[in-house]
Amino acid sequence: MIKYVALEGYKPSELIKTNETSVETNIFNFGVILLELLTGKEPNEKPNPNQDFKSNSMLDHRIFGPVDEEDILKLYRLAMACSPLPSFRPDIKCICKKLQEIES
């Protein structure tokens, strides 16, 4: 797993000092992968400043067909919550609860 986590864009800041993965590093990676699924872009790609997330232009339409914009915004917020410092990341129970809320 460490070998794959070390790829640029997938390595959370706390793994720079140590190579010990944890639940928190897995949550970071979940957020990165969720953003990849939403946008169709790899984490090291430069963002396009002309894209407007609210207009669905940022979504990877190869993956998503017609979508509820509110659900996509909730997924985007969840992915972004997984990305900052470990102390601010949601725990796995919170992530599961949010995903269930979005699904229903």
Side-chain angles (χ1 to χ4, degrees), residues 6-47:
L7 294 172
E8 186 178 338
Y10 294 94
K11 189 171 186 176
S13 59
E14 65 268 24
L15 282 183
I16 293 170
K17 297 175 186 172
T18 177
N19 280 334
E20 294 181 27
T21 60
S22 65
V23 173
E24 289 82 13
T25 59
N26 290 337
I27 289 172
F28 173 87
N29 288 322
F30 169 77
V32 171
I33 291 168
L34 184 54
L35 282 173
E36 268 189 283
L37 289 171
L38 289 169
T39 64
K41 296 186 179 356
E42 293 185 20
N44 56 355
E45 284 186 47
K46 302 246 188 258

Side-chain angles (χ1 to χ4, degrees), residues 22-31 34 78 81-82 86-102:
S22 65
V23 173
E24 289 82 13
T25 59
N26 290 337
I27 289 172
F28 173 87
N29 288 322
F30 169 77
L34 184 54
L78 178 60
C82 296
S87 59
F88 292 116
R89 292 182 196 140
D91 63 20
I92 195 68
K93 288 181 183 180
C94 179
I95 290 172
C96 290
K97 182 179 176 189
K98 292 284 185 190
L99 289 172
Q100 288 172 343
E101 289 172 6
I102 294 168

Side-chain angles (χ1 to χ4, degrees), residues 50-70:
N50 297 324
Q51 287 181 327
D52 177 14
F53 187 78
K54 290 186 178 183
S55 71
N56 275 347
S57 65
M58 192 172 171
L59 296 177
D60 183 358
H61 291 284
R62 296 170 298 170
I63 297 173
F64 296 99
V67 293
D68 178 39
E69 189 171 298
E70 196 61 36

